[in-house]
Amino acid sequence: QSALTQPASVSGSPGQSITISCTGTSSDVGSYNLVSWFQHHPGKAPKLMIYEGSKRPSGISNRFSGSKSGNTASLTISGLQAEDEADYYCCSYAGSSTFVFGGGTKLTVL
Amino acid sequence: EVQLVESGGGLVQPGGSLRLSCVASGFTFSSYTMSWVRQAPGKGPEWVSTISGSGGNIYYADSVKGRFTISRDNSKNTLYLQMNSLRAEDTAVYYCAKCPLAATVFDYWGQGTLVTVSS
């Protein structure tokens, strides 16, 4: 399986909204509503932010939202805060208990 | 609180072996599917292997099939990854990750352990 495609970097000012895209294929993102998004601060454990495309785990701010259209999933962060600055990765279930990840997007809060 | 603590990483020569461990706490370990995910320097994560709660169902990425073996000891709340015939491209931070009952996502991760394969 090939990795999912994400932009290498995005940036935004505090209070603004940003969207990170994650493009896969009809074998992964397009076939399953099972895309998840992780926030990763270097040196710490990755943190689940969105699962099953648009669901938030308990304790995750509603500033984080997810969506999907065709083979592309998206993560939107509204009301950007300094602590949102991190690397973000998407992940899709790809069938037969396998998974594929994106290459990651570095979010900079200006 | 769910905690996953990996250990066992280090420097190993190409062709060598290493065994990683992940000690879990804060949940009923035997009830949950567990996985290993790795991240090479400067790259995105890569799923490596998954094992069901009982250990009866095991899955591997093609890149490690035949070289890596995932296992678990539910009496010790510990997940393992035996890595043999290591290659330079196996150099990565290896994360232990818990899956929820649906096993279609990784809901908790450890902080990882670094494996470096180099002569």
Side-chain angles (χ1 to χ4, degrees):
Chain A
Q1 297 138 339
S2 298
L4 307 177
T5 300
Q6 298 180 233
S9 64
V10 297
S11 63
S13 299
Q16 288 186 331
S17 295
I18 63 95
T19 296
I20 301 172
S21 61
C22 169
T23 301
T25 69
S26 57
S27 297
D28 39 61
V29 175
S31 283
Y32 306 95
N33 198 24
L34 294 171
V35 173
S36 51
W37 290 90
F38 300 91
Q39 177 189 68
H40 190 203
H41 290 104
K44 299 185 72 175
K47 183 178 182 180
L48 178 65
M49 307 303 285
I50 295 288
Y51 68 101
E52 293 180 5
S54 60
K55 297 179 180 178
R56 283 187 306 275
S58 174
I60 300 302
S61 169
N62 60 9
R63 297 187 299 105
F64 292 82
S65 61
S67 62
K68 190 188 89 165
S69 177
N71 296 337
T72 298
S74 299
L75 172 71
T76 297
I77 309 174
S78 59
L80 269 180
Q81 298 179 0
E83 57 262 36
D84 298 334
E85 185 163 295
D87 297 321
Y88 290 84
Y89 298 96
C90 61
C91 174
S92 177
Y93 181 73
S96 302
S97 295
T98 66
F99 299 85
V100 61
F101 284 86
T105 299
K106 182 176 180 60
L107 169 61
T108 300
V109 180
L110 302 171
Chain B
E1 178 193 5
V2 171
Q3 286 198 323
L4 301 169
V5 180
E6 303 94 336
S7 62
L11 175 63
V12 61
Q13 291 188 338
S17 298
L18 213 55
R19 188 176 85 154
L20 306 183
S21 299
C22 169
V23 176
S25 61
F27 64 101
T28 305
F29 182 69
S30 60
S31 296
Y32 292 92
T33 294
M34 298 293 295
S35 296
W36 288 99
V37 177
R38 68 184 180 184
Q39 185 169 17
K43 297 195 171 184
E46 178 190 15
W47 169 75
V48 172
S49 183
T50 293
I51 184 169
S52 62
S54 66
N57 294 295
I58 288 174
Y59 309 92
Y60 296 102
D62 289 342
S63 58
V64 306
K65 202 171 293 183
R67 300 187 299 123
F68 289 13
T69 302
I70 192 172
S71 62
R72 63 193 297 161
D73 185 338
N74 288 341
S75 69
K76 296 182 178 179
N77 285 359
T78 303
L79 175 73
Y80 301 101
L81 186 68
Q82 177 67 43
M83 304 186 295
N84 298 331
S85 303
L86 282 162
R87 307 165 179 167
E89 54 265 35
D90 295 318
T91 294
V93 175
Y94 284 73
Y95 297 96
C96 157
K98 171 186 169 292
C99 301
L101 293 177
T104 53
V105 66
F106 310 107
D107 57 356
Y108 291 94
W109 300 57
Q111 290 195 310
T113 185
L114 175 63
V115 173
T116 302
V117 184
S118 175
S119 54

